[in-house]
Amino acid sequence: MSSAHEYAHAHAARFEQQLNDLLRIPSVSTLPEHAADVQRAAQWLAEDMRRIGLQNVQLPQQSGYLPLVYGEWLGAGEDAPTVLSYCHYDVQPAEMADGWESNPFEPVEREGKVYARGAVDSKSHVIAQLKAVESLLAAGDCPVNLKLLFEGEEESGSDHIFAYVAQHGAALRADAIVVSDGSLPAPDQPVLVYGLRGIISMELTVTGPQRDLHSGHYGGNVHNPIQALAEMIAQLHDANGTVTVPGFYEDVRAVSPEEHALLNANLAQAEQEWRKLTGAPQPWGEAEYTLLERSSARPTLEINGIAGGFYGQGFKTVLPAKATAKISCRLVPDQDPQRIFEQVRDYLAQIAPPTVTIELQLLESGAPGVLFERDSAAMRAAEVAYTRSWGKAPLFTREGGSIPVASSFQQQLDGEIVLMSFGYKGGGAHGPNEYVILDMFHKGIATAITFCQELAATHRP
Ligand code: BES
Ligand code: ZN
């Protein structure tokens, strides 16, 4: 065991306390009323970066109210490799009313798990990376140069980090780029994620009459906008679950036989986990693809929410004036977000009945899907690091979620990208009673330490 690992071991309890300290700050990036909390979390991180010996610690201005936090240590010398680690410290909203059993911003520990908003997505990753760096520096023999970049608006669309990465390519230069977020399919099964889906989000508004009407007067001769919306939504997939938008799949890469084998190496276990974690009666979706392919290598169109009319207590015989739906698409590599938006918009215009008017608005600029090189020095170092820390070799897999900045790292920087996930997929990210398994948090710290050591040991300047 290296002295960095020994240090991490000796300070494990304090690392957990620091995780709790960060979890107590409600850094919700999607709600403007939490902007000051996001600021506070950024200051907390910057302070800890300074304390552990990082230099040039700053909250770069470009990021406005939801700051990026940057710090570096370049003491390993020019011949040593440089590692850029990225995590996000902002979180999704959480309220007791969503079904939390305890205050989402007052972490509680039960049976080796810490429950709090952001526990698994993604403050345990932030602290794991930060404490790995602390351990490497404290041991006095850190073999890599380090750059840490923490984002405060990943959950709200990553509005500012793209420009930052584009403008600071030279300062962010690294041999390996660690994107630390995401999850493992089972607590004891590490994975190396080599692909993420992209995303676009839209809002569809269907308008009928100029104002809400009495359904006794007009029911039967005015097309109800909620019904029209439902009729349109029902046409966006066929009975197989395939998206019907013309051109939607035209740039989608086929799953090669090699990748099919790789992605499905763990299919039986994944199907079991699927049953346990979703609680849904049975799987759905494109019959010609496996469960895992449907949620990683295939694009989707999803209705995230639908609103309109009266849904208070009792009833109201109203014929509403409008109805809206939030729609998002998960995208795979080569699908262009803007082009997909246009295809969806044109198709909706085509199927909209003449009895209503519609408008489709793009809610954020979107991000494309990404695939990382599987055969890189960084991937091999990560493979060694996971194998040692988890006692089990990682499987290669693609994930269905999105980390918008991943595509800009790939386009703007030339380091080898590795996704480092330490959380469990069942940890309830974005939902109530989110938790992190502490054992995985500590294995994560060990993995991040070994990764740097292994990268340095195999690096050829
Ligand atoms: N941690 C997730 C991304 C993720 C999810 C990676 C599942 C791998 C597997 C991240 O914090 C997230 O939730 N991203 C959003 C991005 C969106 C708000 C632009 C997502 O995927 O919905
Ligand atoms: Zn998230």
Side-chain angles (χ1 to χ4, degrees):
M1 203 156 56
S2 78
S3 48
H5 283 104
E6 278 164 17
Y7 180 94
H9 225 72
H11 293 82
R14 174 173 52 84
F15 292 174
E16 290 179 11
Q17 278 165 24
Q18 288 195 285
L19 173 61
N20 286 342
D21 290 344
L22 187 61
L23 287 170
R24 272 185 206 103
I25 308 177
S27 49
V28 180
S29 64
T30 56
L31 300 171
E33 62 264 36
H34 281 289
D37 295 316
V38 179
Q39 278 283 348
R40 200 148 54 86
Q43 295 296 349
W44 188 98
L45 288 166
E47 230 165 83
D48 204 58
M49 280 185 182
R50 289 193 189 99
R51 193 187 57 78
I52 68 174
L54 292 185
Q55 285 137 16
N56 193 17
V57 175
Q58 48 174 296
L59 275 52
Q61 304 237 298
Q62 282 81 349
S63 47
Y65 289 107
L66 305 178
L68 284 168
V69 188
Y70 177 83
E72 64 187 20
W73 182 82
L74 306 178
E78 275 179 19
D79 288 344
T82 300
V83 176
L84 168 66
S85 295
Y86 159 91
C87 310
H88 71 89
Y89 66 90
D90 62 319
V91 300
Q92 290 273 330
E95 284 173 37
M96 288 301 285
D98 302 334
W100 283 80
E101 279 165 28
S102 56
N103 182 340
F105 297 105
E106 191 41 67
V108 288
E109 189 182 330
R110 278 191 308 252
E111 294 167 357
K113 299 170 183 165
V114 169
Y115 291 81
R117 168 56 85 231
V120 73
D121 184 10
S122 196
K123 286 174 173 172
S124 55
H125 291 96
V126 174
I127 299 293
Q129 293 296 339
L130 190 59
K131 297 299 117 180
V133 166
E134 174 175 338
S135 304
L136 284 162
L137 295 181
D141 56 356
C142 181
V144 298
N145 298 305
L146 295 160
K147 298 178 178 177
L148 291 187
L149 182 64
F150 295 153
E151 187 189 6
E153 50 187 17
E154 193 270 351
E155 299 289 9
S156 58
S158 290
D159 276 347
H160 299 90
I161 198 169
F162 300 112
Y164 178 78
V165 173
Q167 283 160 24
H168 296 79
L172 295 174
R173 198 215 72 79
D175 299 279
I177 302 170
V178 173
V179 174
S180 200
D181 190 13
S183 54
L184 307 183
D188 64 350
Q189 180 56 66
V191 290
L192 277 169
V193 176
Y194 66 90
L196 291 167
R197 290 194 288 191
I199 190 163
I200 52 165
S201 306
M202 301 159 274
E203 185 166 315
L204 172 63
T205 306
V206 176
T207 310
Q210 58 196 347
R211 60 175 167 273
D212 288 1
L213 301 172
H214 192 301
S215 67
H217 290 318
Y218 296 101
N221 65 25
V222 170
H223 196 173
N224 185 315
I226 299 176
Q227 183 181 334
L229 174 65
E231 288 164 358
M232 291 171 71
I233 285 174
Q235 292 175 64
L236 295 175
H237 296 86
D238 66 16
N240 187 46
T242 305
V243 176
T244 48
V245 174
F248 189 77
Y249 294 98
E250 76 194 3
D251 295 322
V252 175
R253 286 186 220 176
V255 177
S256 70
E258 185 213 354
E259 207 185 355
H260 175 83
L262 197 64
L263 282 178
N264 295 301
N266 211 17
L267 188 60
Q269 194 191 349
E271 286 174 344
Q272 248 180 21
E273 257 338 85
W274 184 94
R275 254 172 245 119
K276 189 174 112 193
L277 297 181
T278 68
Q282 54 175 297
W284 174 88
E286 295 176 289
E288 59 279 38
Y289 294 92
T290 68
L291 220 63
L292 286 172
E293 289 164 350
R294 288 178 217 169
S295 64
S296 65
R298 298 291 294 168
T300 65
L301 185 152
E302 211 75 51
I303 314 303
N304 302 116
I306 185 162
F310 177 76
Y311 45 88
Q313 272 198 347
F315 74 100
K316 183 180 179 189
T317 48
V318 66
L319 199 158
K322 67 174 192 166
T324 59
K326 303 265 188 188
I327 303 175
S328 63
C329 295
R330 295 282 172 184
L331 307 176
V332 295
D334 299 339
Q335 282 185 303
D336 174 42
Q338 181 62 30
R339 193 170 147 73
I340 293 292
F341 168 69
E342 287 161 13
Q343 287 170 344
V344 172
R345 189 194 56 197
D346 294 350
Y347 183 56
L348 286 169
Q350 183 196 322
I351 63 173
T355 44
V356 294
T357 57
I358 67 156
E359 197 198 328
L360 186 72
Q361 197 194 342
L362 187 62
L363 295 180
E364 30 96 35
S365 51
V370 285
L371 278 176
F372 310 127
E373 175 58 54
R374 290 200 294 274
D375 185 23
S376 70
M379 280 285 186
R380 282 190 292 275
E383 198 171 357
V384 170
Y386 271 117
T387 306
R388 279 203 205 132
S389 309
W390 254 264
K392 198 170 176 183
L395 296 166
F396 279 84
T397 181
R398 286 168 71 165
E399 271 288 2
S402 311
I403 303 173
V405 75
S407 64
S408 78
F409 284 156
Q410 196 169 43
Q411 285 158 19
Q412 311 284 341
L413 309 178
D414 54 13
E416 297 170 349
I417 304 180
V418 169
L419 210 119
M420 248 184 225
S421 311
F422 306 140
Y424 170 44
K425 197 169 191 166
H430 296 200
N433 305 310
E434 178 179 351
Y435 66 85
V436 60
I437 297 174
L438 286 170
D439 177 56
M440 296 175 79
F441 166 66
H442 293 294
K443 282 177 176 152
I445 296 172
T447 304
I449 293 172
T450 305
F451 172 78
C452 291
Q453 295 171 333
E454 190 60 24
L455 193 77
T458 53
H459 182 68
R460 303 276 162 274

